Amino acid sequence: TYKFIPIFSLLASILLMAFSGLTLNAWAATVPPEVQVTKSEIIDFEFDQTHALLTFTDRNSKLWIAKVDPVTGGFKPSNGRGLLVDTGAAFMADFGNGPEWLISAAGTEIVYTKYLPNQPQSPATARVAHAVSNNGVWIPNFIDDEVAYASPLGNSDKDDPIPRITYQSSLQSRDSHPFYWRELYAPASEELVPNTQGSVGSRRWVEGMRAVVFSSTFTNDNGIAETQCFLYDVDTKVLEQLTFDDGEKGAIFMWKAPEFDNEYVFFSMVNRNEIRVYRRIAETVGADPRWTAISSIQAPRAIPNIWSPEFFTHNDKSYIFFTLSPSPVILDMRIPTYLALTDLSGAGFRMLHNTKSLIRVRSDPELFVTSNGPYIYYNSYIPQTDTSPAIQDGVWRVDPGLGPTQ
């Protein structure tokens, strides 16, 4: 039996709990001002840092590109609808992801889900597609127009001459995420990545490797289900289990960390309330190196749910940013959310908003580096109330104050 609580009362209670649950210093610390980049709805946008571009698909199935001012960080045009690349593209809500940039030595492309023309838009008519720039003219085409696939994710490795993607069946349920990989221009290379029947939907290419990392649920030797992180080398066909520790693993990213002489590290979201950072080290003298947790960044007690974590490196240091919410519900439009930033040790953790900030639901943060330094962009919504649905409030950004690239 559930007791109905008016949303206004619920919101007030959440804010009170957030204020009392964090240390006074955490909330009282000065936070950077929020800047509205555009009032237009631009959902699940992705940046191409090298060419200062963004891409997204709107609710009318149109795939767009716009320029980003490298100095101010503004969108040109402000509504994001600079160049129409394609029609019939899937909106992000259809399969949980919008268009993505693919970066390789062959150039920059956009990979996305596109529906077969002149047919009803449905999972059965979804296909993976890409758009390639030819002397400034973007040419869209299906990667495979025969099989129902969706949600392609391209590699981001400017030194790799062979572009590649991962993707999944568009016909599977939202709770099932087994995925495939292939070289973009070699259909025969397609392979179902092993041990992804229990994939939790987190998959990322590792820059500098022809390998993909992901989290997946499986039954261990004791007959108990657990969710751990894995790495699959697409050339050697070796599947490596990266983690064996407690906690349900989620989003995972692996990169070369400048603070560790460009050794690979990775983080995983754990139990949705922790960011755990791993490094391959020998725990004792003479022992073989193994992936070991070197830090644990815990979400604040009053806003314990972490969403959409991502990393970046800037001036020889790694950072992780993410959304924090009091609610365990993904995109709970009733409850305001906040952005936070941390270094790998957790010592540099800080909130980018506090209770004096605008009361907004913030989602899907993305990074773009301007000449003034990194800016973190996000979608913003005025929360739902007892009498009104949530109202989209465009795209905003915040400057975490890390300064220009040195």
Side-chain angles (χ1 to χ4, degrees):
T1 302
Y2 296 91
K3 181 180 179 181
F4 175 75
I5 302 176
I7 291 176
F8 179 80
S9 300
L10 177 64
L11 178 59
S13 299
I14 290 290
L15 289 174
L16 178 61
M17 181 174 64
F19 183 79
S20 60
L22 288 176
T23 65
L24 182 60
N25 286 341
W27 280 114
T30 301
V31 296
E34 296 182 90
V35 176
Q36 188 173 39
V37 181
T38 178
K39 296 181 179 180
S40 299
E41 182 183 63
I42 306 176
I43 296 180
D44 196 25
F45 51 90
E46 297 288 341
F47 291 119
D48 170 11
Q49 179 70 49
T50 300
H51 301 98
L53 298 172
L54 69 85
T55 186
F56 74 102
T57 299
D58 67 18
R59 294 181 184 272
N60 297 315
S61 302
K62 294 180 178 180
L63 174 66
W64 296 96
I65 287 177
K67 295 180 180 180
V68 184
D69 190 308
V71 177
T72 68
F75 297 168
K76 301 190 294 186
S78 63
N79 68 1
R81 290 147 176 85
L83 176 67
L84 179 62
V85 176
D86 201 3
T87 58
F91 183 57
M92 64 80 54
D94 294 356
F95 300 100
N97 200 40
E100 298 278 354
W101 295 100
L102 183 156
I103 300 171
S104 72
T108 300
E109 307 179 35
I110 304 171
V111 293
Y112 57 103
T113 305
K114 175 179 170 65
Y115 295 105
L116 293 173
N118 306 315
Q119 297 190 42
Q121 293 185 356
S122 73
T125 61
R127 301 292 187 268
V128 288
H130 67 138
V132 182
S133 177
N134 185 359
N135 295 322
V137 178
W138 286 88
I139 303 172
N141 208 344
F142 287 107
I143 296 172
D144 183 340
D145 62 1
E146 296 294 330
V147 185
Y149 288 139
S151 298
L153 182 68
N155 64 300
S156 180
D157 196 337
K158 59 181 174 49
D159 296 322
D160 193 320
I162 305 175
R164 56 194 185 277
I165 57 172
T166 60
Y167 48 94
Q168 63 195 49
S169 169
S170 61
L171 301 176
Q172 63 198 30
S173 72
R174 286 293 184 95
D175 297 324
S176 177
H177 301 278
F179 64 89
Y180 302 80
W181 85 275
R182 61 169 277 188
E183 293 174 352
L184 186 61
Y185 296 104
S189 64
E190 180 179 276
E191 178 188 15
L192 177 64
V193 176
N195 200 42
T196 59
Q197 292 301 317
S199 170
V200 297
S202 174
R203 49 183 162 93
R204 296 284 172 175
W205 289 103
V206 182
E207 185 174 352
M209 293 188 198
R210 283 173 53 87
V212 61
V213 289
F214 61 96
S215 299
S216 190
T217 303
F218 65 100
T219 303
N220 62 24
D221 294 339
N222 297 319
I224 300 173
E226 59 178 302
T227 305
Q228 300 290 0
C229 299
F230 296 85
L231 180 145
Y232 182 65
D233 188 306
V234 301
D235 292 330
T236 65
K237 311 303 180 188
V238 172
L239 176 70
E240 178 187 2
Q241 184 173 336
L242 301 175
T243 59
F244 296 86
D245 48 359
D246 65 302
E248 182 176 329
K249 312 305 188 294
I252 175 174
F253 286 83
M254 180 180 285
W255 72 100
K256 293 179 179 179
E259 52 267 78
F260 296 120
D261 294 325
N262 286 324
E263 292 178 19
Y264 281 104
V265 301
F266 72 90
F267 80 76
S268 178
M269 182 171 65
V270 182
N271 297 327
R272 292 220 176 266
N273 61 10
E274 175 190 356
I275 298 293
R276 201 173 291 172
V277 181
Y278 298 81
R279 182 185 177 198
R280 192 189 290 274
I281 57 177
E283 295 182 322
T284 59
V285 177
D288 292 332
R290 59 174 294 177
W291 289 106
T292 305
I294 59 171
S295 65
S296 170
I297 298 101
Q298 300 282 340
R301 179 172 60 86
I303 41 177
N305 300 285
I306 296 174
W307 309 107
S308 304
E310 295 198 20
F311 84 94
F312 65 98
T313 62
H314 183 67
N315 291 339
D316 296 327
K317 191 172 182 179
S318 301
Y319 298 91
I320 303 170
F321 61 97
F322 44 88
T323 303
L324 288 166
S325 175
S327 174
V329 178
I330 298 176
L331 272 182
D332 189 337
M333 303 306 289
R334 305 168 301 164
I335 309 300
T337 57
Y338 310 88
L339 266 58
L341 177 79
T342 184
D343 58 11
L344 297 190
S345 70
F349 175 91
R350 65 189 184 98
M351 301 295 299
L352 299 179
H353 306 97
N354 59 22
T355 51
K356 295 181 180 180
S357 302
L358 292 172
I359 298 176
R360 294 291 187 271
V361 179
R362 301 171 180 87
S363 68
D364 197 20
E366 298 287 347
L367 182 96
F368 184 82
V369 181
T370 71
S371 59
N372 298 312
Y375 289 169
I376 299 175
Y377 295 71
Y378 46 92
N379 291 121
S380 180
Y381 303 86
I382 299 172
Q384 173 187 344
T385 69
D386 296 329
T387 58
S388 173
I391 301 172
Q392 80 87 22
D393 194 30
V395 177
W396 292 65
R397 66 163 173 82
V398 63
D399 178 359
L402 301 179
T405 301
Q406 300 298 316

